[in-house]
Amino acid sequence: MSDKTTTTQSADAPLFREFEHTGDRGIELTAPTRVELFRRAVVALASLLVEVAGAAATEQRLIVVEAENDADLMHDLLTELLQIFMVEGFIWCDASVEEADRALRVTVHGEPFDPTRHAFHGEIKAVTYHQLTVEKSPDGWRARIILDV
Amino acid sequence: MELVKLSDYLWEIPKTGAMLVPGRVYASAKMIDDMREDPALTQVANVACLPGIVGYSLAMPDIHWGYGFPIGGVAAVDGDEGVISPGGVGYDINCGVRLARTHLPFSFVESRIDRLADALFAKIPAGIGSSGAIPGLSIDQLKEVVSEGAQWALRNGYATKRDLEHTEEGGRLAGADPDRVSERAYQRGAKQLGTLGSGNHFLELGRVDEIYDSRLADALGLEVGHVTVMIHSGSRGLGHQTCDDYLKVVGSAMARYEIALPDRQLAAVPISSPEGRAYLGAMAAAANFAWCNRQVMMHLAEQALLETLAIAPRELSFALVYDVCHNIAKFEEHSVAGHRRRVCVHRKGATRAFGPGHPALPEALRPLGQPVLIPGDMGRYSFVLVGRETAMRETFGSSCHGAGRLMSRMKAKKEAGGRDLNAELKRRGVTVRAHSRAGIAEEMPYAYKDVADVVEVMEAAGITRRVARLKPFAVIKG
């Protein structure tokens, strides 16, 4: 399995590793903590949609999601963000995450999407449940996500 | 994965474990060698576990790794006792292809390809960050679209009656229930009617470059050298969100029906359950959005050709050959073990391919068999086929849907490196307009199998017959 790492303006460490999936797009993330894992996933999603290096943090949106397990939380959070990008035309370059029991409060920082300034990489149709995992690892936390493109 | 060779083009995955029926894969020996390590074959076996599945879990030669179902998978379940799986239809409900022909010789447009590509690129929005030709629709207007399908386009001046006759299901799937589509799905679809999308979606100008069966080609209005327009798109955000909504509903209801499956993305409930009926109503609604979407885009493409070439409609002689969907679940009657049965056929990256004489085909096409449109990669060619009687006996009237990916998107981008992809395609005679470089890099010809090999397997197996080959010369990507 080959891999590629991506960094963004707001993260010094590699944000995610892309893994081979024939038709769609697979990403794998690691982080020292659960909160940081979700934060990285949020920023990774933005960087898959557009060139986030050109985005400024002039506005913010708050998302609250609640689910029975971490895989569902990841699915619901990223799906909510896809909706914000697709329907509201808002793109973010960073995020802050707070956890509370089964819920996550996520604030994303960004600005209205402008295709002339934020190079668009292509649509993401959905966050699939196929082989979706969010788990504690010996070094921290790890997630594996397949996106339908 | 154990595979038993049944013929040069057909392989069986024997029934083991929780499989209720065997799997069958249409492929050449070389294709089978290439796919042995691919998770797609495991997915064929997983689909064979769906309660109520009849015959075989089928895979077409363009099969590749999907999520839940393989892309290129066909599964028929009993129409009453079986289950419906939203993942067996996919996120892009009624993703499909349509082909229009013109009477323009390629020589007439050859010197104006760049202008044509620019006009089409300007006229047909990708859907993100662009304003569509149709202004944002209210939820009430969207409910009309999902109820009426391509008939909405007819009522609003974007279609002719003939267009609807040449569209699978007449461009409107019965049973659509607009109230089963969520507000979120409507929000995602509000500004997307008449938009292409990205990924592998495209609009392509091509020319007929080879005819394999002149009787069938004549009947479909295809003549060597004449310009064609092919569109590949689906139900856009409205369909994607509908699938996502029902994966959740169905996933949490499964336990109530004591259904356990090897992959969460395969989630399924009985067709007759409240959740199953709700999904089918929402799926038909999203399918209707897709037909209307492709119809509107085709109308916009016709306008772009007329305006750019400054010719009269009579000179252009633009006409829809056919429109097929390749992500759908439909109730059809098929022969299973010698008995006629009403089944629900899931086609996930597979095209309906009814043989000659089928009553579902419009009168003009009935003697020919259903046209089957198989796009290849953007640098090579696409095919027009027709369904044959064997398809009715062996594949629940189904065929392949495209070339099938050879390379992951990631590998294709890596391969693209610092190359000038536009120039490379230009050397192959193809002018491209795209909203992102990644959109071209991931879809380069080297990322796909040769669609001719895929089509050859279907022909050798007696499923479809080749009618014509089309060569692209201008491609619009989202």
Side-chain angles (χ1 to χ4, degrees):
Chain A
M1 190 184 289
S2 53
D3 65 294
K4 186 182 98 173
T5 52
T6 300
T7 55
T8 72
Q9 214 177 18
S10 54
D12 295 331
L15 197 59
F16 64 90
R17 194 175 70 91
E18 223 174 309
F19 63 85
E20 296 278 356
H21 186 280
T22 324
D24 296 307
R25 171 157 280 150
I27 61 167
E28 200 168 72
L29 304 111
T30 54
T33 64
R34 181 171 173 269
V35 162
E36 177 60 12
L37 185 79
F38 281 106
R39 193 197 71 81
R40 288 184 184 184
V42 167
V43 182
L45 181 68
S47 72
L48 288 168
L49 288 165
V50 306
E51 189 59 54
V52 286
T58 56
E59 293 177 29
Q60 58 187 45
R61 297 283 190 279
L62 172 69
I63 303 131
V64 180
V65 285
E66 191 173 341
E68 285 186 8
N69 57 61
D70 283 346
D72 280 5
L73 265 181
M74 183 65 84
H75 169 273
D76 293 358
L77 172 61
L78 299 186
T79 300
E80 194 67 41
L81 286 162
L82 277 182
Q83 183 86 356
I84 285 177
F85 177 68
M86 300 286 186
V87 175
E88 295 181 32
F90 182 83
I91 191 70
W92 56 98
C93 53
D94 205 355
S96 50
V97 179
E98 292 168 53
E99 54 188 347
D101 295 333
R102 289 176 178 173
L104 288 177
R105 281 174 63 86
V106 179
T107 306
V108 288
H109 308 273
E111 63 177 336
F113 170 58
D114 174 357
T116 62
R117 290 191 302 112
H118 313 124
F120 180 50
H121 295 324
E123 278 181 30
I124 292 173
K125 290 176 190 165
V127 182
T128 78
Y129 290 107
H130 182 55
Q131 298 180 353
L132 173 64
T133 52
V134 177
E135 59 194 10
K136 209 164 179 343
S137 68
D139 305 325
W141 285 77
R142 182 171 56 201
R144 206 175 144 85
I145 306 161
I146 294 176
L147 304 162
D148 186 20
V149 295
Chain B
M1 176 71 65
E2 188 192 350
L3 280 164
V4 179
K5 185 175 178 178
L6 300 180
S7 76
D8 285 347
Y9 297 100
L10 185 58
W11 310 74
E12 185 157 302
I13 303 172
K15 195 177 114 177
T16 54
M19 290 170 72
L20 300 170
V21 295
R24 282 200 167 179
V25 182
Y26 287 84
S28 64
K30 183 181 179 311
M31 288 171 174
I32 284 287
D33 281 343
D34 291 344
M35 68 175 76
R36 271 186 198 278
E37 299 307 313
D38 196 291
L41 291 180
T42 304
Q43 294 185 317
V44 177
N46 289 348
V47 169
C49 305
L50 286 175
I53 188 168
V54 298
Y56 303 95
S57 166
L58 296 165
M60 301 296 120
D62 48 340
I63 179 181
H64 56 267
W65 184 16
Y67 38 86
F69 265 59
I71 313 296
V74 177
V77 298
D78 185 273
D80 300 310
E81 306 293 320
V83 293
I84 179 80
S85 169
V89 172
Y91 286 99
D92 200 357
I93 297 166
N94 188 6
C95 183
V97 183
R98 65 169 44 203
L99 176 72
R101 54 90 176 149
T102 72
H103 280 167
L104 290 182
F106 176 64
S107 56
F108 186 79
V109 301
E110 202 172 0
S111 61
R112 289 177 279 190
I113 292 174
D114 278 310
R115 279 178 53 206
L116 279 171
D118 288 339
L120 288 164
F121 193 59
K123 196 113 180 169
I124 296 164
I128 297 293
S130 53
S131 49
I134 295 182
L137 298 172
S138 68
I139 287 189
D140 284 344
Q141 287 170 315
L142 286 164
K143 285 187 174 182
E144 288 177 12
V145 172
V146 302
S147 301
E148 298 173 29
Q151 287 175 8
W152 186 93
L154 177 65
R155 198 158 60 75
N156 288 275
Y158 296 100
T160 64
K161 275 188 179 169
R162 189 192 171 283
D163 292 338
L164 269 57
E165 286 162 13
H166 284 70
T167 301
E168 191 170 324
E169 301 292 336
R172 178 180 181 270
L173 191 58
D177 185 346
D179 294 334
R180 298 299 185 178
V181 175
S182 71
E183 195 175 333
R184 288 168 70 89
Y186 282 124
Q187 284 171 350
R188 280 182 73 173
K191 291 181 188 167
Q192 293 192 326
L193 189 61
T195 66
L196 195 55
S198 56
N200 59 3
H201 292 167
F202 63 80
L203 183 148
E204 183 174 288
L205 293 181
R207 62 180 189 274
V208 180
D209 88 320
E210 191 159 356
I211 298 281
Y212 301 95
D213 187 312
S214 52
R215 180 187 68 89
L216 290 169
D218 282 350
L220 296 177
L222 297 169
E223 203 172 315
V224 168
H226 282 191
V227 172
T228 56
V229 180
M230 186 177 263
I231 295 174
H232 178 215
S233 186
S235 50
R236 312 290 291 111
L238 186 142
H240 312 160
Q241 185 61 45
T242 297
C243 177
D244 197 69
D245 289 338
Y246 281 92
L247 279 170
K248 201 173 270 274
V249 170
V250 167
S252 55
M254 269 170 66
R256 257 203 313 285
Y257 302 106
E258 295 175 356
I259 296 171
L261 290 163
D263 184 343
R264 190 175 175 190
Q265 194 77 31
L266 274 181
V269 285
I271 284 169
S272 56
S273 67
E275 297 85 0
R277 288 200 304 272
Y279 170 68
L280 284 164
M283 180 205 72
N288 290 344
F289 184 92
W291 272 310
C292 191
N293 186 39
R294 289 197 291 274
Q295 179 63 47
V296 168
M297 279 190 283
M298 192 186 81
H299 177 81
L300 297 175
E302 181 183 8
Q303 296 303 310
L305 288 173
L306 288 170
E307 286 164 17
T308 311
L309 299 170
I311 55 173
R314 179 190 282 270
E315 280 177 273
L316 182 63
S317 194
F318 191 94
L320 181 61
V321 174
Y322 205 62
D323 176 302
V324 295
C325 56
H326 52 225
N327 279 359
I328 199 84
K330 288 212 275 192
F331 291 94
E332 295 167 2
E333 240 188 51
H334 288 279
S335 178
V336 182
H339 296 96
R340 297 296 291 172
R341 270 172 88 168
R342 181 175 169 271
V343 292
C344 178
V345 186
H346 295 66
R347 296 191 179 93
K348 174 77 188 80
T351 315
R352 196 183 76 174
F354 284 173
H358 197 285
L361 301 180
E363 213 171 302
L365 299 174
R366 202 169 296 154
L368 317 175
Q370 183 208 303
V372 177
L373 309 171
I374 309 298
D377 63 76
M378 62 178 157
R380 274 182 273 206
Y381 29 60
S382 299
F383 285 89
V384 181
L385 323 170
V386 289
R388 296 175 70 180
E389 191 49 44
T390 314
M392 306 313 295
R393 289 196 301 271
E394 291 191 10
T395 60
F396 301 102
S398 311
S399 184
C400 59
H401 87 308
R405 288 193 78 90
L406 189 64
M407 229 178 243
S408 70
R409 294 180 177 277
M410 179 184 149
K411 199 176 271 178
K413 268 198 295 193
K414 196 179 271 180
E415 186 80 23
R419 290 156 61 168
D420 185 344
L421 304 176
N422 285 69
E424 278 182 40
L425 287 163
K426 193 86 176 174
R427 279 197 293 278
R428 297 176 82 136
V430 182
T431 298
V432 183
R433 298 284 184 273
H435 286 277
S436 73
R437 185 179 190 275
I440 304 178
E442 293 175 4
E443 298 291 318
M444 283 297 278
Y446 50 69
Y448 282 89
K449 296 176 198 165
D450 186 343
V451 69
D453 297 340
V454 173
V455 163
E456 190 186 318
V457 169
M458 291 278 88
E459 178 136 339
I463 306 299
T464 47
R465 183 189 304 282
R466 276 174 296 190
V467 178
R469 192 175 73 180
L470 317 170
K471 195 144 181 45
F473 63 84
V475 180
I476 308 304
K477 301 281 300 173

